[in-house]
């Protein structure tokens, strides 16, 4: 059991370096990674923009909901 645990860091290192080598040599896969990162960036920016525009309205709506819920009790 101890031998398997002691080999774990070596196995992880080999897996990561092997993946990095394949990624570096495979240029068509790199464009997919770039597209994925850009899509994530656009999604995050969209959420930030929407939250900036609607943040106050959402906070006001939430306050109204909470006030109504206390009235119901």
């Amino acid at each position: 059991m101890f031998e398997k645990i002691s080999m774990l860091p070596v196995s992880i290192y080999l897996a990561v370096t092997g993946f990095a080598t394949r990624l570096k040599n495979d240029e068509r896969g790199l464009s997919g990674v770039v597209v994925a990162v850009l899509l994530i960036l656009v999604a995050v920016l969209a959420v930030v923009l929407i939250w900036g525009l609607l943040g106050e309205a959402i906070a006001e709506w939430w306050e109204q909901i909470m006030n109504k819920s206390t009235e119901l009790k």
Side-chain angles (χ1 to χ4, degrees):
M1 180 71 174
F2 183 72
E3 293 174 12
K4 290 183 180 180
I5 293 174
S6 65
M7 289 299 294
L8 186 63
V10 174
S11 301
I12 293 172
Y13 173 77
L14 291 175
V16 169
T17 56
F19 176 74
T21 303
R22 284 193 311 262
L23 186 63
K24 186 169 43 173
N25 292 338
D26 186 14
E27 293 179 3
R28 72 190 160 143
L30 188 60
S31 64
V33 172
V34 171
V35 169
V37 169
L38 289 176
L39 285 175
I40 291 170
L41 180 64
V42 167
V44 168
L45 290 175
V47 168
V48 169
L49 180 65
I50 291 171
W51 186 259
L53 294 174
L54 297 177
E56 292 179 19
I58 292 172
E60 183 180 328
W61 296 336
W62 183 255
E63 189 65 34
Q64 290 175 359
I65 291 170
M66 294 307 291
N67 287 338
K68 292 289 183 181
S69 69
T70 56
E71 290 175 7
L72 294 175
K73 290 182 182 179

